[in-house]
Amino acid sequence: MRTLDLREPARAAAPDATAPTGLDEAAIATWHGRMINEHASATVFAGLAEQLHRAGADPAHVRACQGFADEERHHGVLCGAVVEALGGEAMASLPDGPPFPAHAEVAPMEGALRNVLSVGCLSETVAVAVIGAEREEMPDGELRALLTRIWSDEIGHARFGWMMLGRQVPRLDAAARQRLSAYLRVAFRHVEAHELAHLPDHPGYGPEGLVVGLCSGRDARTVFYATVTDVIVPRLEAIGLAAGRAWRTRHATV
């Protein structure tokens, strides 16, 4: 276990926020979870930057991923700032996560593209949709402005993923494209499991909850599935990957 302690920078950035009566614990727990997730994303982008460097990617793309890691760390602080403003502590005990997937069984760039696909085209695209929907429901104020900052950065992360995939997939041979299409089943299973674990099947807390970012997990799940089927799958198909079949068969054992 390791300790994540963002109290000092979070307190310096704390917004003016108060949870409605009875919603303190739920609001603190929600933003505390976001703090952890955003901080963890920094490690992912740092790993992706290193992998792209080893694969001989454009140095500008490597620097972009390094910048995304910095942004995710800042997002962690911003979410921790809300935790502090609501009366919680921007601290957490974190288990050691799994190693960054190297995909050493394939060529370096192909392995990197698997992670670009998983991170940028799946996870970050879903984040843009879910955060965007939540942001639309929130009233104007400091918390909405804070969420808008995070949302804006996530848009940049997703655009990077789609740009990289759009440039690199046409350069792959047919066998590599087939392997990437097959890997999509793994990526889809992972993003679905992650999102369902973090979006409880709960109707939300009504208009009062929206003031502090307590959206309906049930509605967010609907946004997730619509984003995959209506946005992600068609775009991947247009790039040349068999995404529709991968999504339909993501839980198949063979």
Side-chain angles (χ1 to χ4, degrees), residues 4-11 35 39 73 76-78 80-81 84 90-92:
L4 173 64
D5 187 350
L6 300 178
R7 288 176 298 178
E8 184 174 346
R11 288 168 183 170
M35 177 188 78
H39 186 81
R73 278 187 283 270
V77 171
L78 291 178
E84 291 284 339
M91 290 185 66

Side-chain angles (χ1 to χ4, degrees), residues 4 8 26 44 82 103 127 131 141 163-164 177 192 224 245-246:
L4 173 64
E8 184 174 346
V44 172
V82 181
H103 303 294
I131 295 174
M163 177 276 294
M164 283 288 295
R177 287 197 298 273
E192 182 180 37
F224 163 68
R245 183 177 185 279

Side-chain angles (χ1 to χ4, degrees), residues 179-191 242-243 245-254:
R179 287 192 297 269
L180 197 57
S181 293
Y183 173 74
L184 261 173
R185 292 173 62 193
V186 177
F188 278 138
R189 283 200 305 272
H190 180 272
V191 72
R245 183 177 185 279
W247 174 249
R248 291 191 302 273
T249 63
R250 64 194 183 278
H251 297 302
T253 56
V254 293

Side-chain angles (χ1 to χ4, degrees), residues 10-152:
R11 288 168 183 170
D16 182 11
T18 304
T21 302
L23 296 184
D24 304 63
E25 289 187 6
I28 290 171
T30 294
W31 286 96
H32 191 266
R34 288 172 173 168
M35 177 188 78
I36 294 171
N37 288 337
E38 295 292 336
H39 186 81
S41 294
T43 302
V44 172
F45 276 113
L48 183 56
E50 178 60 28
Q51 186 181 35
L52 286 171
H53 172 70
R54 292 196 305 269
D58 186 329
H61 296 159
V62 175
R63 289 194 297 272
C65 280
Q66 291 168 338
F68 298 158
D70 291 337
E71 289 174 352
E72 297 288 14
R73 278 187 283 270
H74 185 55
H75 294 173
V77 171
L78 291 178
C79 293
V82 181
V83 171
E84 291 284 339
L86 296 175
E89 277 197 316
M91 290 185 66
S93 294
L94 307 179
D96 292 330
F100 188 78
H103 303 294
E105 69 275 16
V106 296
M109 183 53 74
E110 184 181 340
L113 286 180
R114 290 183 178 186
N115 290 325
V116 168
L117 189 159
S118 293
V119 176
C121 302
L122 272 60
S123 295
E124 295 296 283
T125 300
V126 167
V128 169
V130 171
I131 295 174
E134 178 185 346
R135 173 184 170 276
E136 285 299 313
E137 293 184 320
M138 289 182 74
D140 286 334
E142 289 191 42
L143 288 192
R144 190 176 193 270
L146 183 150
L147 197 63
T148 299
R149 167 66 186 275
I150 294 173
W151 178 65
S152 177

